[in-house]
Amino acid sequence: MDTPADETWTPCAIALGSNLGDRATHLHGAIRSLASTPGVRALRVSTFHETEPVGPVEQGRFLNAAAIFETTLTPQAILTRLHEIEREHGRERHGQPRWGPRTLDLDLLLYADAIIEEPGLSVPHPRMSARQFVLAPLAELASDWVVPGTHRTVGELLAAITV
């Protein structure tokens, strides 16, 4: 994708997860949708990890991954696009149990070294540092990325919870 020379490209990371339907198809579809989004480039994706669900709702195992990309979009625009992609894959956020089964879950984990606290948007993702299913795939791609506010790298955070 061509971009004017004065546009700033910002590195970002997202987490992907699915535990309903054809999980791999949902993840691959989300990756294709994100990669075709104007203002997004240089997508790299981790391997897929099968993991146990977290939370009080009984449900099947997840397939999780992480992706790194660069964007000219704002964090809010990225979040809006992630929610659009979720809906394209049959996910409805409203009226569903928190941490319940879902066709697709996309979370904005990191936006460069920004710390963002806005209604509906927290970056870095507030629970990523305690979740192996988020950190393990992300560490494949960016183990040396320092998570803002922690002074620790993704690899260090992963090592701290897998001891």
Side-chain angles (χ1 to χ4, degrees), residues 79-95:
L79 182 64
T80 297
R81 181 63 182 131
L82 295 178
H83 289 174
E84 289 170 357
I85 294 169
E86 287 177 343
R87 283 191 302 278
E88 291 167 7
H89 287 266
R91 167 102 189 256
E92 286 302 324
R93 287 181 165 263
H94 303 292

Side-chain angles (χ1 to χ4, degrees), residues 12-16 31 34 43-46 65-69 138 141:
C12 299
I14 63 164
L16 303 93
I31 292 160
L34 186 60
L43 192 66
R44 293 185 301 135
V45 181
S46 72
I68 303 288
F69 58 98
L138 185 57
L141 305 172

Side-chain angles (χ1 to χ4, degrees), residues 125-144:
H125 190 281
R127 292 172 297 283
M128 72 176 277
S129 296
R131 292 184 168 171
Q132 185 172 352
F133 66 87
V134 170
L135 293 172
L138 185 57
E140 288 179 24
L141 305 172
S143 65
D144 58 347

Side-chain angles (χ1 to χ4, degrees), residues 11-124:
C12 299
I14 63 164
L16 303 93
S18 175
N19 75 338
L20 287 178
D22 187 336
R23 301 171 305 164
T25 296
H26 290 305
L27 296 186
H28 286 295
I31 292 160
R32 279 191 304 275
S33 293
L34 186 60
S36 67
T37 300
V40 173
R41 71 177 185 197
L43 192 66
R44 293 185 301 135
V45 181
S46 72
T47 59
F48 292 177
H49 297 243
E50 191 164 32
T51 63
E52 292 295 326
V54 172
V57 178
E58 188 72 28
Q59 58 191 303
R61 293 172 61 86
F62 272 84
L63 206 55
N64 293 103
I68 303 288
F69 58 98
E70 295 178 312
T71 187
T72 58
L73 302 177
T74 65
Q76 193 59 258
I78 287 289
L79 182 64
T80 297
R81 181 63 182 131
L82 295 178
H83 289 174
E84 289 170 357
I85 294 169
E86 287 177 343
R87 283 191 302 278
E88 291 167 7
H89 287 266
R91 167 102 189 256
E92 286 302 324
R93 287 181 165 263
H94 303 292
Q96 300 300 314
R98 185 171 186 170
W99 298 318
R102 46 213 177 264
T103 55
L104 190 59
D105 187 23
L106 302 174
D107 290 319
L108 179 58
L109 301 174
L110 299 167
Y111 188 88
D113 60 355
I115 296 176
I116 304 164
E117 285 297 331
E118 298 177 3
L121 178 63
S122 295
V123 177

